[in-house]
Amino acid sequence: MLSGVAFGASAFLGLSGTYGFVPGIAAPTVKIAAVQPPPVGRPNYERPSSTTTQAFDLKPAFVEIDRVAVTSSLIPLGLRDDGSLQVPTVASQAGWFADGVVPGQPGPAVLVGHVDSYLGAAVFARLKELKPDDRVRVVMNDGSMLVFAVSRVDQYPKTLFPTDLVYGKTTRPEIRLVTCAGQFDRAARSYEDNIVVYANLVSA
């Protein structure tokens, strides 16, 4: 699982997180592991103006990537108090930055997931194996499907996370897939790098 905005961790990207709560009642705290990965850049985005797609509350529901055997539902993710992006609390689950771009709209929709956990490989464990022109399918909550073609796969130190490239404006619909990579820093209990997959919409 995880807690924080960086992805991966050889021990359930630690997560001291809380699940939904009812006003006036303390939310239960669930300890998944003692791993607290550092933030992966802070989104400096402008929320898209209302569009027809957003007006009908269209959201991504699933992501499928045949090349690396990924099939996962997508949960909405927001920002933590420190401005960093939340991450899924389950290693096998991918998420979507819901305060950013909706897949299929102009701009980069950001999907994140873990690389591993103390139980083994996680949802985005093989992300670095993707090659240009590999396909990523995003199924929307109305049943429609968007197909994106990978343009490149890059690896960055977390200290040099390319915030503008990942979250910055683009004129066409794109997606970014993000997970952890590189050496595991046992002292920091986090991976040192991130993998970012860039892909462009080719079919809707």
Side-chain angles (χ1 to χ4, degrees):
M1 265 75 177
L2 70 3
S3 140
V5 147
F7 320 106
S10 103
F12 256 102
L13 309 158
L15 153 278
S16 248
T18 57
Y19 290 91
F21 65 97
V22 176
I25 300 178
T29 297
V30 180
K31 285 249 185 209
I32 307 295
V35 178
Q36 187 73 25
V40 169
R42 287 158 172 74
N44 59 345
Y45 65 94
E46 291 183 24
R47 178 132 179 110
S49 57
S50 179
T51 64
T52 300
T53 297
Q54 291 169 319
F56 284 99
D57 203 26
L58 196 58
K59 299 184 178 88
F62 292 89
V63 59
E64 303 171 343
I65 315 172
D66 291 343
R67 168 79 73 178
V68 292
V70 167
T71 299
S72 174
S73 58
L74 289 167
I75 59 170
L77 302 171
L79 298 178
R80 304 201 311 169
D81 290 343
D82 66 358
S84 61
L85 180 60
Q86 294 175 335
V87 289
T89 57
V90 176
S92 60
Q93 176 74 63
W96 159 64
F97 179 36
D99 287 334
V101 174
V102 176
Q105 294 299 314
V110 180
L111 310 183
V112 302
H114 296 292
V115 66
D116 66 11
S117 75
Y118 70 86
L119 295 176
V123 63
F124 280 173
R126 298 175 55 194
L127 216 58
K128 64 183 179 183
E129 298 176 28
L130 290 173
K131 306 293 183 185
D133 208 39
D134 282 342
R135 276 5 189 202
V136 178
R137 297 188 300 273
V138 176
V139 180
M140 306 301 286
N141 61 349
D142 68 346
S144 61
M145 179 181 292
L146 306 174
V147 181
F148 296 82
V150 172
S151 57
R152 73 180 198 267
V153 179
D154 291 337
Q155 184 167 332
Y156 307 93
K158 287 183 178 176
T159 54
L160 298 174
F161 187 80
T163 300
D164 290 343
L165 290 177
V166 173
Y167 298 100
K169 289 182 179 180
T170 64
T171 58
R172 58 185 177 179
E174 302 182 16
I175 58 171
R176 309 284 188 255
L177 308 174
V178 186
T179 194
C180 283
Q183 295 295 314
F184 185 70
D185 184 334
R186 294 189 178 280
R189 305 195 71 177
S190 175
Y191 283 99
E192 296 180 348
D193 297 348
N194 280 119
I195 290 288
V196 179
V197 176
Y198 299 82
N200 306 315
L201 183 68
V202 293
S203 176

